Amino acid sequence: MKDIYFDHAATTPIVEEVIEVMQPFYNEIYANPASSHLPGQKAASALEDARELVTKLIGAKKAEELVFTAGGTEADNLALKGAALARSSEGKHIITSSIEHHAVLKSCKYLEKHLGFEITYLDVDQDGIIDVEELKRNIREDTILVSIMYANNEIGTIQPIKELAAVAHQNDIIFHTDAVQTVGQLKIDVNDLGVDLLSISAHKFNGPKGIGALFVSQGVELVPQMSGGSQERKRRAGTANLAAAVGMGKAAEIALEKLAEKRNKLVLLRDYFISELFANFDDIKINGPKGDYRLPGNINISFKNLDSESILFNLSLNNIAASTGSACASGSLSVSHVLKAIALEEEYIKGAIRFSLGFGNTKEEIDYVVNKLKNIIDRLKSLK
Ligand SMILES: *Cc1c(COP(=O)(O)O)cnc(C)c1O
């Protein structure tokens, strides 16, 4: 069996058509999009075409509402720091959740430590879901920004973003969502959701790495986090990564075209994988919600009293790539902040593994992995 890749939440393979459209932007159309000469104009027009395609994927009305960044992390930083600073004269309180990606959590920590903001971290229930009433209860006079991720990268929980955003707006508060895991898996319509800011990253939907975007709803003010030129309508200084942006545009076009097909395929594979796991293992637990509240491609499973690092190592020896679900858990003492937040029992926390599925995965691969897992788990148990 060839290499089997079940780590699409970490990154996805870049598709051939995307590489093809990027190629000319390295050796033929290399001018700076900010230059006024003809080659520059060509470059600028390619950048705007790409922006248009990404705009469509998230249902935004105007391409101007999209700011290209160097990925999801930068989009989150720009959203949090940019919006917080723009509104700091009205208040310095921000609400987020305890299960955000580190790009959001550490931006909050930065605002807290260096700029005097106060942050409230909302708790989640045992499936990782945020209670809309809990958001209401935590809003204060000086709350200026709420940031809640659309879907969690570790346990796949999908939040009631539309309801949460509505509560924020009733209180004149800016609402940001990190939708990096959601784009390309679920249909997104920023206007229907009613969000002000939304982060996306190309490499999570079969585009290139190092490019992303922040949707900034018309009229929402941001203090730029890069000082320099007036690119991206003065919201993000620096010469755009043109080839990557063009690749992101193509990836967005393909993702939109295949959205329903991909979702249906991933849901079937996910549910098949989960049922096979339960058919073959005792002492396991699925972390995160069931059915519609879970990302189509996410499986997070705990093997009771076993160690995830040993399981992953053994999977890796069999050319199977999976993950613990959090980048910082490996080899360190820190336990996943997400698994802690859902109050997972001690005996299940250490043995948690994430399998995240992508378009290329097949049922045969799942059968193969479950079969290998059986040997691995048996052996690890016998060693105890
Ligand atoms: C991957 C990821 C990010 C970071 O995106 P990069 O483009 O890798 O910087 C942010 N948030 C979530 C939820 C992610 O899954």
Side-chain angles (χ1 to χ4, degrees), residues 98-111:
S98 53
I99 62 165
E100 297 297 311
H101 189 273
H102 282 122
V104 167
L105 287 179
K106 294 199 178 170
S107 292
C108 286
K109 293 276 178 231
Y110 179 95
L111 289 163

Side-chain angles (χ1 to χ4, degrees), residues 9-10 70-74 76 101 103 149 151 153 178 180-181 201 203-204:
T73 299
E74 193 197 322
D76 283 343
H101 189 273
M149 74 199 311
N153 45 306
D178 173 342
V180 171
Q181 286 292 327
S201 174
H203 75 97
K204 301 289 175 78

Side-chain angles (χ1 to χ4, degrees), residues 72-73 76-77 80-81 94-113 119-122 130 147-149 152-154 176 178 326 328 335-339 341:
T73 299
D76 283 343
N77 273 262
L80 270 288
K81 296 172 186 169
I94 297 168
I95 301 176
T96 185
S97 84
S98 53
I99 62 165
E100 297 297 311
H101 189 273
H102 282 122
V104 167
L105 287 179
K106 294 199 178 170
S107 292
C108 286
K109 293 276 178 231
Y110 179 95
L111 289 163
E112 202 169 23
K113 186 171 176 197
I119 320 285
T120 297
Y121 300 90
L122 297 181
I130 288 158
S147 178
I148 304 288
M149 74 199 311
N152 184 265
N153 45 306
E154 292 188 37
H176 165 250
D178 173 342
S326 74
C328 69
V335 175
S336 152
H337 65 289
V338 177
L339 298 181

Side-chain angles (χ1 to χ4, degrees), residues 29-252:
I29 310 166
Y30 49 79
N32 191 320
S35 300
S36 55
H37 45 63
L38 200 58
Q41 287 172 28
K42 268 193 189 167
S45 130
L47 185 64
E48 293 320 305
D49 288 349
R51 197 187 308 278
E52 194 73 49
L53 290 170
V54 180
T55 303
K56 285 209 179 93
L57 179 62
I58 58 170
K61 285 200 199 95
K62 297 194 164 148
E64 301 97 87
E65 292 178 308
L66 222 89
V67 178
F68 280 120
T69 64
T73 299
E74 193 197 322
D76 283 343
N77 273 262
L78 177 58
L80 270 288
K81 296 172 186 169
L85 289 174
R87 295 199 74 186
S88 62
S89 63
E90 296 164 63
K92 289 189 131 187
H93 180 236
I94 297 168
I95 301 176
T96 185
S97 84
S98 53
I99 62 165
E100 297 297 311
H101 189 273
H102 282 122
V104 167
L105 287 179
K106 294 199 178 170
S107 292
C108 286
K109 293 276 178 231
Y110 179 95
L111 289 163
E112 202 169 23
K113 186 171 176 197
H114 301 293
L115 296 163
F117 284 82
E118 277 182 76
I119 320 285
T120 297
Y121 300 90
L122 297 181
D123 288 330
V124 294
D125 71 10
Q126 58 184 15
D127 286 334
I129 295 172
I130 288 158
D131 181 1
V132 180
E133 294 304 315
E134 184 69 7
L135 172 61
K136 280 186 197 163
R137 276 194 292 277
N138 281 281
I139 286 174
R140 312 191 319 209
E141 273 289 291
D142 59 343
T143 309
I144 49 151
L145 174 65
V146 173
S147 178
I148 304 288
M149 74 199 311
Y150 200 142
N152 184 265
N153 45 306
E154 292 188 37
I155 57 172
T157 310
I158 298 166
Q159 304 294 347
I161 292 301
K162 191 172 175 173
E163 290 74 15
L164 294 165
V167 168
H169 285 168
Q170 279 150 23
N171 293 277
D172 188 29
I173 296 167
I174 297 283
F175 189 89
H176 165 250
T177 187
D178 173 342
V180 171
Q181 286 292 327
T182 323
V183 175
Q185 283 205 47
L186 300 177
K187 186 171 165 32
I188 291 191
D189 182 327
V190 285
N191 293 302
D192 179 56
L193 285 173
V195 297
D196 299 299
L197 302 162
L198 179 139
S199 305
I200 67 183
S201 174
H203 75 97
K204 301 289 175 78
F205 56 93
N206 305 101
K209 292 167 182 65
I211 183 95
L214 181 66
F215 161 76
V216 184
S217 183
Q218 220 171 14
V220 172
E221 299 288 333
L222 290 180
V223 173
Q225 296 303 298
M226 288 283 180
S227 304
S230 41
Q231 290 92 348
E232 298 296 306
R233 294 189 162 73
K234 300 197 173 122
R235 294 169 297 189
R236 200 274 190 180
T239 302
N241 187 344
L242 182 57
V246 168
M248 184 178 191
K250 188 66 188 174

